[in-house]
Amino acid sequence: GQRVMQAAAGNLKRLTLELGGNDASIVLPGTPVDAVVEDIFQAAFLNMGQTCAALKRLYVHESQYREFAEALAAIAERQVVGAGLEEGVTFGPIQNLDQLELVSELVDDARAQGAEVLCGGARLDRPGYFYPPTIVTGVSDGHRLVDEEQFGPVLPLIAYRDVEDALRRANASQMGLGGSVWGEDEARAQAIASQLESGVAWVNCHAQIQPNTPFGGCKMSGFGVEFGLEGLLEFTTPQLLFMRQRTS
């Protein structure tokens, strides 16, 4: 994106840059696990996690940390990984070898630093770039798997004690594409979501992108928006017509 921006400087071409993301989600204390865990899983592993606005970091209160981790791992273990034409397959491959190697590297790095891989965590022993859905616990900010965008079928869970601290940690990333807050108290969740440093903030959902609502990021995730009226206006240049009325 930076190279595109440099190339566009020669004739001052206007840009909309929708770049990478490392979307954080905060689950508020007391959130019923069964009510949200399936939606959280789908948001994280949409297109095998190969989506710019997929949920990529999950902050869970320490009182429910293990319960959420085990529930997510149970869903992950039910998935069938394989080629799209194989019957019953729910998870396909990673798009290319370089990305497969990056995902493997990030998981191996987390494991070497004491993280626990609850399921998955290794390339499948078959032709193709297949990596199973992977849930990782025992990681925190500072681990590569948390700080970098994995863009693959891996979800790290980070425990927190204080919601304000979780918010600070969620905002510490240089990226700011999307983010979300999950909880029964919608007013509280909305108040916290409004403090996320992201172009889009969702409440009790994630990666809900619609053609009638603007979508875009901030910080190193780019600028400008796509979709909605605002997205159409990105392609226009306003002109002011100023006319002084003659007096007789």
Side-chain angles (χ1 to χ4, degrees):
Q2 289 173 308
R3 288 196 294 270
V4 169
M5 192 172 178
Q6 290 170 346
N11 63 354
L12 297 181
K13 188 177 297 297
R14 294 177 60 191
L15 298 176
T16 296
L17 294 178
E18 190 265 279
L19 307 177
N22 192 6
D23 290 18
S25 283
I26 301 171
V27 182
L28 298 181
T31 302
V33 177
D34 292 343
V36 300
V37 68
E38 185 71 40
D39 287 340
I40 287 175
F41 181 87
Q42 295 299 333
F45 292 96
L46 172 69
N47 197 34
M48 289 73 73
Q50 299 172 113
T51 302
C52 57
L55 191 166
K56 297 188 174 75
R57 297 176 286 151
L58 185 65
Y59 291 85
V60 182
H61 192 264
E62 58 185 14
S63 64
Q64 296 178 288
Y65 185 73
R66 199 67 196 178
E67 188 179 3
F68 264 100
E70 291 175 355
L72 287 164
I75 298 173
E77 288 172 341
R78 294 200 301 264
Q79 307 309 310
V80 179
V81 182
L85 296 180
E86 296 174 5
E87 188 173 351
V89 163
T90 58
F91 261 70
I94 291 178
Q95 199 274 333
N96 59 72
L97 180 60
D98 286 346
Q99 194 60 33
L100 172 65
E101 291 176 345
L102 173 62
V103 169
S104 299
E105 182 181 316
L106 293 178
V107 174
D108 291 344
D109 178 75
R111 187 187 281 116
Q113 297 189 62
E116 181 181 5
V117 179
L118 297 189
C119 60
R123 179 180 182 177
L124 297 189
D125 186 17
R126 58 166 289 176
Y129 306 144
F130 295 103
Y131 200 96
T134 300
I135 303 296
V136 181
T137 61
V139 290
S140 189
D141 310 274
H143 288 98
R144 288 186 61 197
L145 182 58
V146 177
D147 293 351
E148 299 180 24
E149 180 185 21
Q150 68 274 39
F151 208 76
V154 181
L155 179 64
L157 274 67
I158 306 101
Y160 74 88
R161 290 185 179 181
D162 178 74
V163 174
E164 290 299 322
D165 181 55
L167 179 63
R168 179 190 62 77
R169 294 157 73 184
N171 286 337
S173 173
Q174 65 175 347
M175 297 182 181
L177 190 57
S180 59
V181 178
W182 305 70
E184 278 195 303
D185 187 338
E186 292 185 359
R188 186 186 184 205
Q190 181 177 341
I192 295 170
S194 67
Q195 298 177 66
L196 288 171
E197 295 174 1
S198 57
V200 184
W202 292 280
V203 174
N204 288 327
C205 60
H206 196 104
Q208 299 297 305
I209 300 170
Q210 302 176 172
N212 62 323
T213 57
F215 172 75
C218 62
K219 299 195 283 190
M220 292 302 288
S221 290
F223 52 80
V225 297
E226 306 164 77
F227 310 131
L229 175 61
E230 294 85 353
L232 292 175
L233 292 176
E234 291 280 350
F235 292 91
T236 68
T237 299
Q239 180 192 47
L240 173 66
L241 179 61
F242 190 109
M243 183 173 67
R244 174 175 291 174
Q245 188 173 14
R246 286 181 172 272
T247 58
S248 57

